[in-house]
Amino acid sequence: MAEDLIRMEKINKFYGRIHALRDVNLTVRTHEVVGLLGDNGAGKSTLIKVLSGAVPLTSGNILIKGRKVELKSTADAIANGIETIFQDSALVPQLSIARNLFLGREPIKGGSFLNRLDQDAMNASARELLKRVGITKDIPPETPIAALSGGERQAVAIARAMQFDSELIILDEPTNNLGVAETQGVLRFVREARDTGHSCIFIAHNIHHVFQVVDRIIVMRGGRVVADDIDPKHTTIEQVERIITGEELLHAITA
Amino acid sequence: MQQRTFLQSFVSKPEFGPLVLLVLELMVFWSFNSDFLSLPNISNTLSFTVELGLIALAMTLLMTAGEFDLSVGSVFGFSAVLMWTLFNSEMMPLGVAFLVAIAASLLIGFVNGWFVTKLNIPSFLVTLGMLLVVRGTALYVTDGFPQRTWNAEGNLFANVLAGSYFIGSFRMYMSVIWFALAAVAAHYVLTKTKAGNWIQASGGNPNAARARGVNVSRTKICLFMASSAMASLAGIISSIRTSAANPNSGTGYELEVIAMVVIGGTVLTGGRGTIIGTVLGIFILRVMRNGIVMIGVPGLAYNIFIGAIILGMMALHSWLERRHNSGV
Ligand SMILES: Nc1ncnc2c1ncn2[C@@H]1O[C@H](COP(=O)(O)OP(=O)(O)OP(=O)(O)O)[C@@H](O)[C@H]1O
Ligand SMILES: [Mg+2]
């Protein structure tokens, strides 16, 4: 079995008095795509926000390749090889596609004193990346994000996660608002990411999308993980739906 | 989008409106009084222009990052008073007093930035408080009296900073050169550098910027310091040019500077800024001030015109924005 990339142990998270995560354990192995399912408010976004440094945890441990880490900010998480595409995608509307793709990691030319952006290099890789996420329409990389459709924005956010060699890529409902071609682009990206040695956590309400790409399914309900080893090859979508709603006892399947 | 003609994309630029307005203004004043474009008048207008202009350049960057600074007018007055008080009391030579004044303004800018970014207080309140503190200090230490300034004639330091010399019959002020250099530098920083990208991102979507590892707080603190330092420099240049250091000088400048910046097309809410637009905005207001006096309108009516220009330009920018969004 592949080695553990991420281990989250006994994670608890309180928002004031709301207990959003209750003793959650979660493991992601290398080269593995994990689907994270659960109804609205189950705690999925909270869990991955903890893992991506966006919100602090109340108690618990996070280990990356067996080493304990503290993720105090998203920058910390990025530095530890964890890239996240948030549900409310985090782009700067006034900046161009290319500049959003490289925000925080801009390529520089002409020495650090001049601090000059290598705009040509940014534009060239931006064109390349947009093609890979299935934007076949010819959108110039200088276009500001504000001029894009919701789906195109999502695609840009995904393209951004692709370009840096992160070991774990987290996608929180990346197929929301997407058209057919763009959804296929996202799913293709997830497969490609695994084939090139990355791990993914994939959150979506559309179970069909999840079934198409994941190796393993984890289900959350009421802040707890209620099933964490569902094999999509040996389970039906209906069974998973019943676990999500709590109608089916999990041991029947996970056994 | 690709099929737009050159003319269409030029018209949709934020700098287009201010450019047209400036050209119109020059034509109107010139047709009323042909002395308006005479060399002495141009030189005179330029020398006034750059002092507020220096502040406006820094304010453009700060406003692009989503903040603004109301304390610049008081720093303008305070710095000159501080420098001349230190020099007059024979505590230090002028050059050192200058550095002390700049350092004090950097500290003021740092405190502004710290309150805004670390305590999360809106810049309107922080810099309003700072305005009162700094202006109050200037009035208190001077008892409200102007400071003696010595005649700057012949001092190398004063000449480099604020001297003037003649090119033919045209009187060129050193401060104009400083302003031109600062404008080019600010334009370069905003449009071509990593720092500029961070400035725009900090104003456009600070959470997104932070999530990518952009240090939003440090970016803003640096810009508050730059705006304060520019106000200080401008106040000192002005005191040398006019041979006066008055604790009340610079009163109301903050609003005029912000007006220059927004007339030029930089948005008050951050994310988008233009140095070219600001330079146009600076000239629009200074030409207006100079022009209405030359054609015989009482100077007291100046504010009516400025207010009308601000309202008109805002209406124009919003109209262009809507036109753009509806795809025309
Ligand atoms: N910032 C917050 N402050 C207070 N409570 C919060 C906050 N964010 C989430 N919660 C609460 O935590 C619980 C889990 O929310 P979370 O966003 O993790 O759910 P989710 O599984 O991602 O749901 P969805 O499928 O709707 O995105 C919910 O009860 C929610 O109300
Ligand atoms: Mg969610």
Side-chain angles (χ1 to χ4, degrees):
Chain A
M1 178 173 292
E3 146 192 36
D4 286 351
L5 176 63
I6 305 285
R7 265 187 100 83
M8 300 178 81
E9 298 175 338
K10 292 194 87 98
I11 303 289
N12 280 279
K13 171 67 191 175
F14 284 88
Y15 287 112
R17 283 159 61 190
I18 298 173
H19 199 169
L21 297 177
R22 298 162 184 260
D23 283 335
V24 170
N25 295 313
L26 173 109
T27 306
V28 181
R29 302 180 192 109
T30 49
H31 298 242
E32 185 183 40
V33 178
V34 172
L36 185 54
L37 296 176
D39 251 334
N40 295 117
K44 307 179 297 292
S45 293
T46 304
L47 183 63
I48 62 102
K49 277 182 184 164
V50 166
L51 184 53
S52 58
V55 302
L57 44 72
T58 310
S59 68
N61 289 322
I62 300 175
L63 293 92
I64 299 181
K65 291 182 181 160
R67 193 171 44 87
K68 189 172 181 305
V69 290
E70 294 213 14
L71 305 172
K72 293 207 186 67
S73 67
T74 33
D76 277 355
I78 293 174
N80 275 292
I82 301 173
E83 277 278 345
T84 310
I85 297 158
F86 289 102
Q87 196 165 8
D88 29 28
S89 94
L91 299 170
V92 181
Q94 293 90 345
L95 287 179
S96 70
I97 296 174
R99 289 201 172 196
N100 265 284
L101 287 174
F102 287 93
L103 184 57
R105 296 179 169 193
E106 296 86 346
I108 294 295
K109 64 180 178 190
S112 62
F113 173 72
L114 285 178
N115 196 359
R116 187 181 168 85
L117 289 174
D118 194 345
Q119 191 72 52
D120 295 337
M122 297 199 315
N123 288 349
S125 4
R127 273 194 208 93
E128 197 56 33
L129 283 162
L130 290 180
K131 240 179 262 149
R132 272 176 71 193
V133 287
I135 295 193
T136 43
K137 202 167 72 173
D138 190 24
I139 302 178
E142 298 88 2
T143 314
I145 296 296
L148 300 181
S149 78
E152 289 163 346
R153 291 180 199 199
Q154 195 71 268
V156 171
I158 288 166
R160 182 165 70 183
M162 287 173 69
Q163 71 184 309
F164 302 113
D165 229 12
S166 322
E167 291 182 277
L168 176 68
I169 300 169
I170 304 173
L171 303 102
D172 192 354
E173 306 195 21
T175 51
N176 272 13
N177 312 315
L178 292 197
V180 177
E182 284 150 345
T183 302
Q184 291 308 322
V186 171
L187 299 180
R188 186 151 35 85
F189 158 61
V190 173
R191 284 188 210 106
E192 194 180 303
R194 177 185 39 204
D195 294 345
T196 51
H198 303 85
S199 302
C200 283
I201 298 178
F202 185 92
I203 303 178
H205 283 290
N206 187 324
I207 305 181
H208 295 273
H209 293 168
V210 174
F211 262 65
Q212 283 181 48
V213 291
V214 305
D215 303 313
R216 182 162 63 99
I217 291 173
I218 298 174
V219 176
M220 292 186 72
R221 192 168 63 232
R224 292 179 206 278
V225 170
V226 293
D228 75 347
D229 204 7
I230 302 175
D231 183 343
K233 291 190 194 67
H234 302 108
T235 315
T236 64
I237 288 177
E238 292 69 32
Q239 281 175 306
V240 174
E241 275 171 347
R242 287 199 296 274
I243 300 174
I244 291 171
T245 55
E247 288 163 32
E248 177 147 350
L249 290 178
L250 33 135
H251 52 79
I253 296 152
T254 50
Chain B
M1 183 183 304
Q2 290 94 318
Q3 299 95 312
R4 303 180 97 209
T5 62
F6 172 75
L7 190 67
Q8 273 175 322
S9 64
F10 180 61
V11 169
S12 70
K13 288 236 184 303
E15 294 89 357
F16 174 74
L19 181 64
V20 171
L21 181 62
L22 181 61
V23 171
L24 270 180
E25 216 182 36
L26 290 171
M27 281 176 6
V28 168
F29 287 135
W30 186 56
S31 70
F32 272 96
N33 185 340
S34 57
D35 278 347
F36 181 68
L37 288 181
S38 68
L39 286 182
N41 191 49
I42 292 179
S43 150
N44 189 23
T45 311
L46 277 178
S47 74
F48 280 104
T49 302
V50 298
E51 287 157 17
L52 280 183
L54 281 173
I55 312 177
L57 294 176
M59 187 77 85
T60 304
L61 301 185
L62 181 62
M63 281 170 58
T64 306
E67 308 292 344
F68 55 88
D69 184 354
L70 295 178
S71 70
V72 288
S74 64
V75 172
F76 181 98
F78 170 75
S79 287
V81 163
L82 178 63
M83 181 178 92
W84 289 107
T85 306
L86 290 174
F87 176 75
N88 288 339
S89 64
E90 295 183 351
M91 280 160 71
M92 49 187 79
L94 195 64
V96 180
F98 169 76
L99 291 179
V100 171
I102 295 287
S105 69
L106 287 172
L107 180 67
I108 292 169
F110 179 81
V111 173
N112 280 336
W114 193 85
F115 269 76
V116 169
T117 58
K118 305 292 178 196
L119 304 185
N120 261 322
I121 307 172
S123 53
F124 178 83
L125 299 174
V126 171
T127 60
L128 180 64
M130 189 57 87
L131 182 166
L132 297 171
V133 170
V134 172
R135 179 71 69 200
T137 308
L139 289 168
Y140 177 74
V141 296
T142 59
D143 279 335
F145 289 110
Q147 291 303 286
R148 192 158 41 86
T149 66
W150 100 141
N151 192 343
E153 229 54 58
N155 180 294
L156 177 69
F157 168 76
N159 275 340
V160 169
L161 204 58
S164 65
Y165 51 89
F166 282 89
I167 307 173
S169 62
F170 186 76
R171 186 170 187 186
M172 185 70 182
Y173 287 86
M174 277 306 286
S175 54
V176 175
I177 294 174
W178 293 125
F179 171 73
L181 289 176
V184 171
H187 178 72
Y188 174 79
V189 167
L190 187 58
T191 58
K192 300 275 186 264
T193 69
K194 180 170 166 171
N197 209 34
W198 286 27
I199 291 171
Q200 292 173 59
S202 299
N205 186 346
N207 290 329
R210 228 171 266 125
R212 302 309 300 170
V214 171
N215 195 331
V216 174
S217 299
R218 196 171 62 196
T219 303
K220 288 184 176 178
I221 290 176
C222 287
L223 293 175
F224 272 109
M225 292 170 75
S227 118
S228 230
M230 280 304 195
S232 169
L233 185 63
I236 288 168
I237 289 177
S238 169
S239 77
I240 294 175
R241 183 177 56 79
T242 61
S243 304
N246 186 328
N248 269 316
S249 73
T251 302
Y253 279 14
E254 55 281 347
L255 296 183
E256 190 155 348
V257 165
I258 290 173
M260 289 168 167
V261 177
V262 296
I263 286 172
T266 296
V267 293
L268 197 57
T269 44
R272 209 162 37 195
T274 150
I275 292 290
I276 297 174
T278 295
V279 171
L280 292 169
I282 294 165
F283 282 114
I284 287 170
L285 289 202
R286 300 312 294 195
V287 165
M288 178 63 80
R289 196 187 271 283
N290 177 268
I292 59 176
V293 173
M294 284 197 74
I295 66 175
V297 176
L300 292 174
Y302 172 68
N303 280 343
I304 302 174
F305 290 88
I306 300 305
I309 289 179
I310 294 177
L311 293 175
M313 287 309 281
M314 292 307 103
L316 178 69
H317 287 312
S318 117
W319 178 70
L320 286 175
E321 180 92 348
R322 254 178 297 135
R323 221 173 86 102
H324 177 81
N325 289 344
S326 61
V328 180

